[in-house]
Amino acid sequence: MNADFQLGRSAKGARIVVAMSGGVDSSVVAALAVQTGAEVIGVTLQLYDHGTVPQRAGSCCAGQDIYDARTVADRLGIAHHVFDYESRFREGVIDRFADEYVRGRTPIPCVSCNQGVKFTDLLGFAREMGADCLATGHYVRRVAGPHGAELHRADDPARDQSYFLFATTRDQLDYLRFPLGDMPKPAVREAARALGLLVADKPDSQDICFVPNGDYASIVKKVRPEAGEPGAIVDLEGREIGRHRGLIHFTVGQRRGLEIGGQPEPLYVVRIEPETRRVVAGPKAALAVRGARLSGINWLGEDQCDDLTVKVRSMAKPAPARFADGAVHFETPEYGVAPGQAAVLYQGDRVLGGGWIEETFAAELSPA
């Protein structure tokens, strides 16, 4: 099994830096890099204290994962470096994650992590080392286009991670390589077994690596205690219909957890008002939006294109839309779109860019 790292020259004498998280994906990338004949250097970032944040199956970038990455590097015969980025990760990802919840928004820490310590700091290290590229285990495809490198969805839609990489800049994309974009996950695990890598059957990491047991509320409350203060649940007219035990337990579009009975139809979280600690609940029709204004827009396309689709959640089905004046406009109403999420624009399989949702525009719908 071989992968094309698109080095632009003979691999002999070339140098590849591989971001190694300790999982099967990045381990196989390192092995593929070694097969090219280039000099390979593995780099692992310790992003949080595994004694403070309990580690579990599906975590990454701490404790056991660092040991696994080093063990794989030893087996492959490559140099391996570990850098302590706990402070940078806490400030740039964990604190931001908590602050977004305090503001009543829905954060996506994986994008923040890729924007910061992974693609900014790691890429800087790779360039300092004189590497020809930085390779990662992300499931996306880098395609050489007529105007330079393009970012495309992975061949395996179940593994595609392009939503989380919308903020990748053109300069970064020129330097990055994603060897697994054309491979299904079973083939990656089989390659790891054939190479005798101990991580071949290691569980996949979860989207939010630093949240033990999926209990994000406890992390937010620890960092920002005020987010756990109780408040009122109100209807669309502002009438109190219940109480809640902290905004950190709710996101827009959520149905479970409201625990309000006696209503004529199911209620959903329509809006969160952090200033008054109110959760606004209403019927599903109240969640319908016709568009959203974006901030922090990163554009990878050559111009404003037609035939666009947009994803407002990583697992959402792409929705037909148009992009104009810093906002996306859906062809048909979308539901559960929340400030803090990312809106990622595609043309076919290509990522054209995206941005952070700042506000949504309600659709005028009668109750379903």
Side-chain angles (χ1 to χ4, degrees):
M1 181 183 65
N2 294 292
D4 181 8
F5 281 78
Q6 301 174 330
L7 297 176
R9 66 185 179 109
S10 171
K12 300 295 183 182
R15 178 177 290 169
I16 300 172
V17 169
V18 178
M20 299 181 68
S21 68
V24 62
D25 297 326
S26 59
S27 296
V28 169
V29 169
L32 292 173
V34 169
Q35 289 180 357
T36 67
E39 177 190 1
V40 180
I41 301 172
V43 179
T44 301
L45 302 180
Q46 178 174 322
L47 299 182
Y48 52 87
D49 183 348
H50 57 280
T52 302
V53 179
Q55 193 170 10
R56 72 195 193 289
S59 65
C60 73
C61 308
Q64 182 65 40
D65 305 294
I66 294 173
Y67 171 81
D68 290 343
R70 178 168 288 137
T71 301
V72 169
D74 287 345
R75 179 168 182 82
L76 296 175
I78 64 174
H80 180 248
H81 301 271
V82 178
F83 296 122
D84 183 356
Y85 273 63
E86 182 184 347
S87 177
R88 288 267 287 131
F89 185 73
R90 183 177 62 250
E91 295 171 2
V93 179
I94 297 179
D95 286 355
R96 179 177 175 180
F97 175 80
D99 288 340
E100 288 286 88
Y101 266 107
V102 171
R103 294 175 60 196
R105 294 160 61 91
T106 303
I108 310 176
C110 296
V111 177
S112 301
C113 185
N114 288 328
Q115 279 183 299
V117 294
K118 285 188 177 176
F119 283 178
T120 300
D121 297 320
L122 261 184
L123 193 142
F125 168 80
R127 283 182 163 147
E128 287 178 7
M129 294 294 293
D132 294 84
C133 66
L134 170 66
T136 81
H138 288 98
Y139 283 84
V140 292
R141 289 183 295 132
R142 178 186 180 276
V143 177
H147 301 284
E150 299 174 356
L151 185 63
H152 288 243
R153 287 190 181 100
D155 275 354
D156 184 351
R159 305 298 307 177
D160 175 57
Q161 294 174 300
S162 61
Y163 177 86
F164 299 108
L165 300 185
F166 82 87
T168 305
T169 66
R170 287 178 176 272
D171 181 62
Q172 291 170 341
L173 191 57
D174 283 340
Y175 195 66
L176 289 163
R177 299 295 186 272
F178 309 107
L180 304 188
D182 296 319
M183 297 177 64
K185 185 64 176 243
V188 173
R189 290 199 181 278
E190 183 56 38
R193 294 187 191 99
L195 292 163
L197 302 182
L198 82 165
V199 295
D201 297 306
K202 187 175 181 177
D204 292 334
S205 62
Q206 303 300 312
D207 286 345
I208 304 180
C209 62
F210 58 88
V211 179
N213 303 317
D215 185 8
Y216 64 85
S218 66
I219 294 293
V220 177
K221 191 173 182 178
K222 182 176 181 179
V223 178
R224 299 288 182 266
E226 66 274 18
E229 296 179 2
I233 301 174
V234 302
D235 63 17
L236 297 176
E237 286 71 43
R239 296 185 295 261
E240 184 170 328
I241 55 176
R243 302 288 296 177
H244 68 77
R245 54 190 179 90
L247 298 179
I248 54 177
H249 300 286
F250 300 96
T251 57
V252 171
Q254 179 176 328
R255 179 179 172 185
R256 296 181 60 185
L258 286 171
E259 299 177 353
I260 299 172
Q263 301 295 316
E265 56 186 315
L267 296 181
Y268 298 79
V269 176
V270 175
R271 189 170 63 255
I272 296 174
E273 299 178 348
E275 298 84 3
T276 58
R277 299 201 304 274
R278 298 200 311 178
V279 173
V280 181
K284 184 178 180 179
L287 289 172
V289 301
R290 56 183 173 83
R293 180 176 64 84
L294 308 183
S295 67
I297 296 170
N298 181 57
W299 193 253
L300 293 171
E302 287 71 50
D303 49 34
Q304 305 294 316
C305 304
D306 298 322
D307 302 320
L308 299 181
T309 59
V310 63
K311 293 179 68 171
V312 294
R313 290 175 300 280
S314 62
M315 300 305 294
K317 182 179 179 181
R322 60 185 179 86
F323 179 65
D325 301 322
V328 293
H329 305 272
F330 306 110
E331 283 190 8
T332 58
E334 285 290 303
Y335 294 81
V337 183
Q341 291 175 323
V344 182
L345 293 148
Y346 297 82
Q347 185 176 51
D349 284 336
R350 183 184 177 187
V351 178
L352 292 182
W356 300 101
I357 297 172
E358 289 298 322
E359 64 174 327
T360 58
F361 315 132
E364 300 299 329
L365 291 181
S366 58

